[in-house]
Amino acid sequence: MGQIRKLIRDQEGVALIVALGAISIMVIIGVIVAALTMNNQKTVSHDKQQTAGQNIAEAGIYYAIAITRANYYSVYPNGVVPESAGDGTSFFSSPQALTGSQGNQAGTYEVWTKKDPDRPGNVLLTAKGTLTGSSAPNETVRVSVKFVPQIFDNVLFVG
């Protein structure tokens, strides 16, 4: 009986050490999971802002193309596309606001136009989209477009 008591006395602190070790491992795993979750959340938020900025820039490109298709000779008098340095000549006089479905401003875009130096006969449209209230950088979209005159706008076929 004395031997059993001696064994129990020798192992009195072991349970506490095992418990502290298990708790330490669980705390370390919890901290790692929390850090990974926060990092992933920041990455997803940044990616969403970049995608929104790119979508705003693309909206500016589509709007500029629609205006040009409807009024080509007003936009480019005598069909002459400007040759400019940098991004080109500003298409709009100021940044254009893009509103969301609830009427709030989603962001702004600016569009520039010039002759495409790499594709003769094409127009290079460059748009910069800026998300409202965002710390994400502006997103830029470049599109080379060839405008073809509509030859059948005023044709009357007699049958």
Side-chain angles (χ1 to χ4, degrees), residues 39-98:
N39 187 30
N40 286 342
Q41 188 176 14
K42 287 179 184 177
T43 301
V44 168
S45 174
H46 187 265
D47 288 348
K48 284 172 62 175
Q49 289 177 345
Q50 279 187 317
T51 302
Q54 182 175 350
N55 290 341
I56 292 169
E58 287 177 6
I61 291 283
Y62 291 134
Y63 188 53
I65 289 172
I67 290 173
T68 303
R69 287 185 66 187
N71 308 302
Y72 183 80
Y73 290 105
S74 296
V75 174
Y76 304 114
N78 299 322
V80 176
V81 180
E83 288 188 56
S84 303
D87 287 328
T89 304
S90 184
F91 195 86
F92 302 107
S93 59
S94 63
Q96 301 294 300
L98 182 69

Side-chain angles (χ1 to χ4, degrees), residues 25-152:
I25 290 172
M26 291 190 319
V27 166
I28 290 170
I29 290 172
V31 167
I32 290 171
V33 167
L36 287 173
T37 302
M38 288 176 19
N39 187 30
N40 286 342
Q41 188 176 14
K42 287 179 184 177
T43 301
V44 168
S45 174
H46 187 265
D47 288 348
K48 284 172 62 175
Q49 289 177 345
Q50 279 187 317
T51 302
Q54 182 175 350
N55 290 341
I56 292 169
E58 287 177 6
I61 291 283
Y62 291 134
Y63 188 53
I65 289 172
I67 290 173
T68 303
R69 287 185 66 187
N71 308 302
Y72 183 80
Y73 290 105
S74 296
V75 174
Y76 304 114
N78 299 322
V80 176
V81 180
E83 288 188 56
S84 303
D87 287 328
T89 304
S90 184
F91 195 86
F92 302 107
S93 59
S94 63
Q96 301 294 300
L98 182 69
T99 55
S101 58
Q102 286 90 23
N104 53 343
Q105 183 174 331
T108 60
Y109 58 83
E110 298 177 74
V111 180
W112 296 273
T113 180
K114 70 176 185 177
K115 277 187 181 180
D116 192 337
D118 299 326
R119 294 179 182 91
N122 282 16
V123 176
L124 181 65
L125 296 172
T126 303
K128 179 179 77 172
T130 306
L131 186 63
T132 299
S134 169
S135 61
N138 301 325
E139 292 299 316
T140 302
V141 175
R142 287 181 178 81
V143 178
S144 181
V145 183
K146 183 163 190 102
F147 292 103
V148 180
Q150 306 264 337
I151 61 170
F152 295 112

